[in-house]
């Protein structure tokens, strides 16, 4: 069986760990969000790809959900001692090594997809991890503050501002000319089912769906999604601030409508969201809180069984 999954960072990674556990014999191809990527201190950082890679490779800081376990921050302190900006992004020493390898390979001319594969040789995530695109394609956020209207990088809005300044809009810079990374469209074509983990519907899944060709390739497939919104709130993070910015309510119903019945065949919601409905979509209400790895596996099994039923 071949499963394709689109993934952001923490929500996607934890779900994928469950999917891998529940379908150990399946081939799982993960199409990762690279809209969060940023260049800092001359190094290319890919937070969502790394979160998936470290989580599935047992190298993640489990408490935080991103970054490396047993991390130290000597380099960050030394950079700060030089007064080098930005100081609001917490890169750890172990994590720095990943960005050094990636940046060195980019400089040598390798595409991000091949670099990601090389990094995964160490981490053995047990899935094929592909960036959505090899092209530079970054989410920027239009905000109004004391400096007037301006666009900041997604990470500046998310990490430095903690999404406290309302986003007027999101701009995925570079998306018009971005091409799906090698293997992405082929994997979708060959997929038996497609599963959307409970990732951010705007700046994770929404971003991947904007890469020309990806959404269209998904339409003929059986696609089952897990709602990232339970009882009118994100389970963690600030997805509500992202949804508000694009004029979508923070409900499981509104996120389903955002994706649309054209794309979605099945939509798993929490038991308290029973009653969510859209013509042509099966919407079972089940426990969808990933409080541990076993719970994530149960949720993934429910999603996968629904997808197989609908195929
Ligand atoms: P990020 O890139 O690190 O922000 O992670 P993702 O985009 O992959 O996932 C973030 C989304 O996951 C948030 O909108 C959360 O509401 C959702 N999420 C996190 N944990 C859970 C969970 O246990 N269950 C469900 N249903 N959603 C979750
Ligand atoms: N998130 C934070 O809230 N603060 C940080 O300092 C931070 C550093 C960081 C470093 C590497 C990495 O892979 C992820 C990091 N994250 C940090 C998480 C990440 O920026 C965001 O959660 C996602 O990009 C939003 O989806
Ligand atoms: Ca992300
Ligand atoms: Ca379909």
């Amino acid at each position: 069986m071949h499963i394709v999954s689109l993934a952001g960072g923490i929500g996607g990674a934890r779900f994928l760990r469950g999917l891998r556990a529940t379908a150990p014999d399946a081939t799982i191809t993960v199409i990762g969000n690279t809209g969060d990527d940023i260049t800092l201190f001359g190094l290319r950082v890919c937070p969502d790809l790394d979160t998936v890679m470290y989580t599935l490779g047992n190298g993640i800081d489990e408490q935080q959900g991103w970054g490396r376990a047993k991390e130290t921050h000597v380099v960050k302190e030394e950079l700060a001692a030089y007064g080098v900006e930005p100081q609001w992004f917490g890169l750890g020493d172990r994590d720095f090594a990943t960005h050094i390898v990636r940046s060195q390979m980019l400089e040598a001319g390798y595409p991000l997809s091949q670099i990601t594969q090389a990094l995964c040789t160490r981490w053995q995530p047990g899935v094929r991890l592909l960036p959505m695109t090899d092209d530079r394609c970054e989410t920027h956020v239009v905000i109004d503050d004391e400096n007037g209207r301006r666009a900041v990088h997604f990470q500046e809005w998310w990490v430095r501002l903690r999404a406290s300044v309302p986003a007027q809009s999101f701009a995925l810079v570079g998306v018009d000319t971005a091409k799906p990374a090698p293997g992405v469209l082929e994997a979708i074509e060959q997929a038996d089912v497609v599963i959307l983990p409970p990732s951010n519907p705007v700046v994770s899944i929404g971003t991947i769906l904007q890469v020309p060709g990806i959404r269209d390739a998904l339409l003929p497939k059986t696609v089952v999604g897990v709602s990232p919104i339970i009882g009118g709130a994100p389970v963690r993070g600030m997805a509500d601030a992202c949804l508000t910015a694009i004029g979508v309510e923070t409900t499981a119903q509104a996120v389903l409508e955002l994706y649309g019945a054209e794309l979605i065949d099945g939509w798993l919601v929490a038991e308290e969201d029973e009653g969510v409905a859209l013509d042509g979509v099966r919407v079972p209400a089940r426990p969808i809180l990933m409080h541990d790895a076993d719970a994530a596996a149960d949720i993934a099994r429910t999603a996968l069984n629904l997808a197989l039923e609908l195929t």
Side-chain angles (χ1 to χ4, degrees):
M1 179 167 48
H2 184 200
I3 306 169
V4 162
S5 203
L6 315 189
I10 303 175
R14 290 186 174 164
F15 178 85
L16 288 168
R17 194 158 53 181
L19 186 64
R20 186 186 58 184
T22 205
D25 299 327
T27 302
I28 302 173
T29 300
V30 177
I31 302 169
N33 172 41
T34 58
D36 293 14
D37 296 6
I38 187 166
T39 300
L40 297 167
F41 317 114
L43 300 175
R44 193 69 179 156
V45 181
C46 302
D48 283 358
L49 291 179
D50 288 347
T51 297
V52 170
M53 184 173 78
Y54 295 156
T55 301
L56 295 180
N58 298 316
I60 197 78
D61 180 324
E62 292 283 351
Q63 296 298 314
Q64 207 167 232
W66 51 266
R68 293 286 308 280
K70 304 195 193 99
E71 188 58 285
T72 54
H73 292 90
V74 177
V75 174
K76 180 177 163 34
E77 285 162 26
E78 289 295 316
L79 287 166
Y82 284 108
V84 179
E85 296 291 340
Q87 294 180 20
W88 47 261
F89 202 73
L91 289 176
D93 299 326
R94 294 176 190 277
D95 197 28
F96 257 115
T98 304
H99 314 316
I100 290 170
V101 174
R102 176 185 293 124
S103 304
Q104 185 171 263
M105 290 185 75
L106 281 169
E107 188 60 32
Y110 289 96
L112 183 62
S113 51
Q114 282 183 35
I115 298 167
T116 304
Q117 194 185 348
L119 295 170
C120 285
T121 305
R122 170 181 177 194
W123 291 103
Q124 295 290 315
V127 300
R128 185 155 159 255
L129 178 59
L130 302 175
M132 63 187 197
T133 180
D134 277 337
D135 300 316
R136 193 161 167 159
C137 186
E138 277 179 8
T139 304
H140 289 245
V141 187
V142 177
I143 57 169
D144 281 320
D145 65 5
E146 63 281 3
N147 302 313
R149 176 159 290 207
R150 65 201 178 100
V152 296
H153 189 283
F154 170 74
Q155 295 294 350
E156 183 168 356
W157 180 69
W158 188 264
V159 174
R160 185 173 80 82
L161 299 171
R162 292 266 153 237
S164 59
V165 180
Q168 303 301 323
S169 60
F170 294 99
L172 189 51
V173 180
V175 73
D176 294 343
T177 53
K179 293 174 297 300
V184 166
L185 296 181
E186 294 80 354
I188 295 172
E189 251 162 54
Q190 289 160 17
D192 296 302
V193 292
V194 175
I195 311 274
L196 306 185
S199 281
N200 189 307
V202 183
V203 295
S204 293
I205 306 274
T207 301
I208 300 168
L209 292 174
Q210 279 183 65
V211 176
I214 292 189
R215 194 174 192 279
D216 283 346
L218 291 169
L219 294 182
K221 300 308 230 182
T222 301
V223 179
V224 166
V226 180
S227 176
I229 307 298
I230 299 182
V235 177
R236 57 175 289 160
M238 302 164 285
D240 47 340
C242 302
L243 286 163
T244 302
I246 62 163
V248 174
E249 264 184 65
T250 302
T251 62
Q253 175 75 42
V255 173
L256 170 57
E257 288 169 11
L258 170 68
Y259 288 151
E262 204 189 8
L263 175 69
I264 303 286
D265 299 285
W267 185 239
L268 267 189
V269 299
E271 285 154 307
E272 61 232 76
D273 290 312
E274 176 134 45
V276 169
L278 191 64
D279 267 359
V281 183
R282 275 266 284 281
V283 189
R286 296 277 188 291
I288 57 166
L289 205 50
M290 301 185 283
H291 39 75
D292 58 27
D294 287 341
D298 289 342
I299 298 161
R301 187 174 315 116
T302 307
L304 181 57
N305 285 341
L306 176 60
L308 293 172
E309 228 179 276
L310 293 171
T311 303

